Amino acid sequence: MHFIFEADMKAFTLRNILLYALAMAGVLLLLQWMEFQFLVINRAAEVYITGIAIIFTSLGIWLAQKLTRTKKEVIKETIVVEKEVIVYRAGVADETFIPDTKTISNLGISQRELEVLSLIAAGATNQEIADQLFVSLNTVKTHTSRLFEKLDVSRRTQAVEKAKRLHLIP
Amino acid sequence: MHFIFEADMKAFTLRNILLYALAMAGVLLLLQWMEFQFLVINRAAEVYITGIAIIFTSLGIWLAQKLTRTKKEVIKETIVVEKEVIVYRAGVADETFIPDTKTISNLGISQRELEVLSLIAAGATNQEIADQLFVSLNTVKTHTSRLFEKLDVSRRTQAVEKAKRLHLIP
DNA sequence: CAAGAAATCATACTATCGGGTGAATGATAT
DNA sequence: ATATCATTCACCCGATAGTATGATTTCTTG
C-alpha cells in the first residue's frame, strides 16, 4: 500500500506579500522625500525619473521571480518501513509554456477541443470532463472524436502524446 | 537529493533588449507628459506615484517573464504507414532525460512495469503492448493493474500524467 | 442572406480498459 | 527451506472509451 502526498507550494506566502508591501512602503517614502527634493531642485527631473524606473523595474523583476518560483516536494510513506522516508525533488514546472498556435490552427483544432484535450491530458474521464465543462457526456465524446480525427490518432493516450510532442499542450 | 539540470535558453536577444528600450522610452515620454501635468496640478502626487509604481512594476514583471522564458524546439513528426506491428519508441525526444530511479524504487515499480508504462505513455493499447513484449494480454493487464496501484491512479492517462510529473518517464 | 464553422446533444453499437481473484514458475533473500 | 517478489497467464464482469450518424443552435464570414 502506498500513500503519496504532494503539495505545490507557490511562493505566494503571506511573508512575501508583507515583504513586498514593506519594500513598496519604503520606496514610496523615498519617493516622497525625492518629491520634496524635486520641488526644491527643479532640475533633477531626468535623474528622478530614471531612479524611479530602475527601482520599480527591479522591484517588478524581483516580484516576478518570487511569484513564479514553484517548490515541489514529494513525501512517501510505506507501511513496511518503520521510519518515514522523505524525498525532496527539484520539480521544474514549466510556467512559461507557449502553445504552438500555428499548428493548432493548422490542424483546425477549436478552443473547446483544446480544453477537452487538456483535461484528457490531466487524466480526466469523459464523464469528468463533461461535469467540469457543464456539457453532456455525448458532447465530450463528439469533441474527443473530432480531436482524434484532427490529430490523426485513435486513442486518448496517443492524443496526449502527440499533443505534447507538437507543443499543443504543456 | 536530486538536482536536475535543464537547458534554459534565456531569451536575452537583441530584439528583446530593443523592445524593452522602446517600451522604456515610451513610458518615459508618458512620464514627461505626466511631469508637466504634475507641475500644473500640484495635488495629484499620490496618484502620480502609484501610477509610476504600477507601470514599472508591471514592466519589471514583463521583463522577467521575457528573460526567463525557455525556448523549445519543434520536433518533426514521423508518419507510420501500413505495418503489421506498430513499434512504439519509448521517449527519444529528450536526450537529457534522467529517470528518477529513487522514486521508482521507492514506489516499488519493477522493470517490466516501467516498460509497460513507457508503452502506455506512447499511446499503445494493452494488446499492442502484449504483442511488442511477446506476452499475453492478460499479463499486460496484470502489469498495468499493479502499476496503477503503485502509482495510486486508476486510469492510464492519469498514470502517464503522474509518471511524467514524477520524472519516471520523459 | 446563405454557407460554414463551432458547439451542443442523442442513440446505438463495438472495442478497450480496469478490478477482482486465483494460480504457476523461477529467482533471490532470510 | 521457506518466504517474498517478479513475471507470467486465465476468466469474469462492469466501466469507460470510441465510432457512426443525425440533428439543432449560434455566430461568423463571404
Side-chain angles (χ1 to χ4, degrees):
Chain A
M1 194 77 63
H2 299 267
F3 299 98
I4 298 166
F5 297 92
E6 291 181 31
D8 284 17
M9 281 187 257
K10 288 254 179 196
F12 207 162
T13 58
L14 187 67
R15 205 180 113 271
N16 279 332
I17 293 168
L18 285 174
L19 244 160
Y20 180 63
L22 219 72
M24 182 73 103
V27 174
L28 286 178
L29 265 166
L30 184 71
L31 282 178
Q32 291 283 14
W33 177 76
M34 283 176 82
E35 197 71 38
F36 175 73
Q37 294 293 89
F38 173 70
L39 289 174
V40 176
I41 316 147
N42 213 331
R43 212 158 297 274
E46 260 70 31
V47 180
Y48 176 57
I49 289 165
T50 308
I52 293 166
I54 290 166
I55 288 166
F56 274 101
T57 303
S58 306
L59 212 62
I61 290 169
W62 172 76
L63 190 67
Q65 292 286 329
K66 275 279 172 192
L67 255 55
T68 57
R69 186 166 305 156
T70 305
K71 274 186 186 169
K72 204 177 249 190
E73 58 176 82
V74 177
I75 300 160
K76 185 190 174 289
E77 192 180 303
T78 314
I79 52 165
V80 186
V81 185
E82 285 84 16
K83 250 193 167 179
E84 199 179 53
V85 180
I86 301 167
V87 180
Y88 292 98
R89 298 203 46 250
V92 187
D94 194 356
E95 309 277 347
T96 58
F97 171 76
I98 305 152
D100 188 348
T101 49
K102 234 162 260 175
T103 306
I104 289 171
S105 61
N106 278 345
L107 294 175
I109 293 171
S110 70
Q111 207 54 44
R112 204 55 159 172
E113 285 162 355
L114 209 61
E115 279 185 83
V116 172
L117 180 58
S118 293
L119 291 169
I120 286 174
T125 65
N126 286 337
Q127 186 58 63
E128 287 168 347
I129 295 168
D131 293 342
Q132 206 156 329
L133 298 182
F134 298 105
V135 296
S136 83
L137 175 62
N138 293 308
T139 304
V140 176
K141 282 185 170 190
T142 306
H143 285 318
T144 55
S145 278
R146 292 194 195 286
L147 197 54
F148 294 163
E149 203 180 328
K150 286 168 184 175
L151 283 173
D152 191 31
V153 295
S154 53
R155 281 179 295 282
R156 49 181 53 216
T157 44
Q158 290 182 332
V160 171
E161 189 276 329
K162 193 155 189 173
K164 280 177 184 275
R165 186 153 40 86
L166 299 178
H167 294 276
L168 272 43
I169 53 172
Chain B
M1 216 171 300
H2 296 270
F3 295 101
I4 296 164
F5 297 93
E6 297 187 4
D8 281 16
M9 271 186 252
K10 303 262 177 187
F12 211 153
T13 59
L14 187 66
R15 205 181 113 272
N16 279 332
I17 293 168
L18 284 174
L19 243 161
Y20 179 63
L22 218 73
M24 180 76 102
V27 175
L28 286 179
L29 264 169
L30 183 71
L31 283 178
Q32 291 282 15
W33 177 77
M34 281 178 83
E35 199 70 37
F36 174 73
Q37 295 291 93
F38 174 72
L39 289 175
V40 176
I41 314 147
N42 213 330
R43 210 159 301 273
E46 259 69 30
V47 180
Y48 176 60
I49 290 165
T50 307
I52 294 166
I54 290 167
I55 288 166
F56 274 100
T57 303
S58 305
L59 211 62
I61 290 170
W62 171 77
L63 188 69
Q65 291 286 328
K66 273 280 172 192
L67 256 53
T68 57
R69 184 163 301 164
T70 54
K71 268 190 180 176
K72 287 195 174 178
E73 54 176 306
V74 178
I75 296 150
K76 260 186 111 177
E77 166 193 356
T78 52
I79 298 160
V80 183
V81 201
E82 312 183 73
K83 202 58 165 107
E84 273 191 341
V85 180
I86 301 163
V87 179
Y88 291 97
R89 304 200 310 159
V92 185
D94 193 352
E95 304 285 347
T96 60
F97 172 74
I98 304 154
D100 189 345
T101 49
K102 210 152 275 183
T103 304
I104 289 171
S105 62
N106 276 344
L107 294 175
I109 294 170
S110 72
Q111 209 53 44
R112 203 56 159 170
E113 284 162 356
L114 208 62
E115 279 185 82
V116 172
L117 180 57
S118 292
L119 292 168
I120 286 175
T125 64
N126 286 339
Q127 185 59 63
E128 287 168 345
I129 295 169
D131 293 342
Q132 206 157 326
L133 298 182
F134 299 107
V135 296
S136 85
L137 175 61
N138 291 310
T139 305
V140 176
K141 281 186 168 188
T142 306
H143 286 318
T144 54
S145 278
R146 293 194 193 287
L147 197 55
F148 294 164
E149 202 183 329
K150 287 166 184 177
L151 283 172
D152 192 30
V153 297
S154 54
R155 281 178 296 282
R156 47 180 57 216
T157 44
Q158 290 182 332
V160 172
E161 190 276 327
K162 192 154 191 174
K164 281 179 184 278
R165 186 150 44 83
L166 297 179
H167 294 274
L168 271 39
I169 53 172

